[in-house]
Amino acid sequence: MSFQEKRAWVYAVIGLCVPVVYFAVIFVRAGGGDVTRTAYVVPMLVAIGGAVVLNIAAEVVAGIAAGREAGLKDERDRQIGRLGEYVGFYVMSVLALVPLGLAMGEAAHFWIAHTLYLAFVLAALASAVTKIVAYRRGL
């Protein structure tokens, strides 16, 4: 397994686990009541910041563990990386229409923020899964 494939796996795991924890916190805080009245701003910022910090830390640890292999990228790695980023971009572009529509419809800020956050999460997961599949099945 190449270093870039390992990074895609780590990115996918972090991209899945952090939002699951975040949404669990929000639903627990709601306590069966109106979820739109839940204080979500600080937990969302912590989740976003935490995901960034975890990915940076994972990159550093993986880079140290891999040694010289960490900096090596061949043409296949670049193509797979590009494909994954394209897929993530298109997923984000399409899913961003949902919060845009909610904003135009004057929906609660809670729903606008969460659909936008979910669009980012799904775009990141789509990108990582695309890369993993390309590494496993070939480009």
Side-chain angles (χ1 to χ4, degrees):
M1 184 181 306
S2 74
F3 178 76
Q4 300 304 321
E5 183 181 357
K6 290 175 189 172
R7 283 297 300 130
W9 277 102
V10 170
Y11 191 68
V13 169
I14 292 171
L16 182 63
C17 292
V18 170
V20 166
V21 170
Y22 167 73
F23 284 117
V25 166
I26 293 302
F27 286 124
V28 166
R29 281 184 167 203
D34 185 11
V35 73
T36 61
R37 298 197 181 273
T38 305
Y40 68 89
V41 175
V42 172
M44 185 180 285
L45 291 174
V46 169
I48 293 167
V52 169
V53 169
L54 284 171
N55 271 299
I56 290 170
E59 180 77 27
V60 169
V61 170
I64 291 170
R68 290 186 179 184
E69 180 190 341
L72 299 177
K73 270 189 181 180
D74 60 11
E75 185 58 32
R76 180 174 180 250
D77 289 326
R78 283 188 279 281
Q79 287 178 335
I80 289 173
R82 204 172 306 123
L83 175 64
E85 296 308 314
Y86 286 157
V87 169
F89 169 79
Y90 287 117
V91 168
M92 182 63 202
S93 296
V94 170
L95 293 180
L97 295 174
V98 175
L100 181 63
L102 289 172
M104 289 176 179
E106 298 181 3
H109 291 165
F110 178 90
W111 295 115
I112 296 168
H114 282 89
T115 55
L116 187 57
Y117 178 62
L118 190 58
F120 279 116
V121 167
L122 293 175
L125 289 174
S127 176
V129 168
T130 299
K131 291 175 186 178
I132 291 166
V133 169
Y135 276 112
R136 290 291 160 172
R137 297 220 172 120
L139 184 64

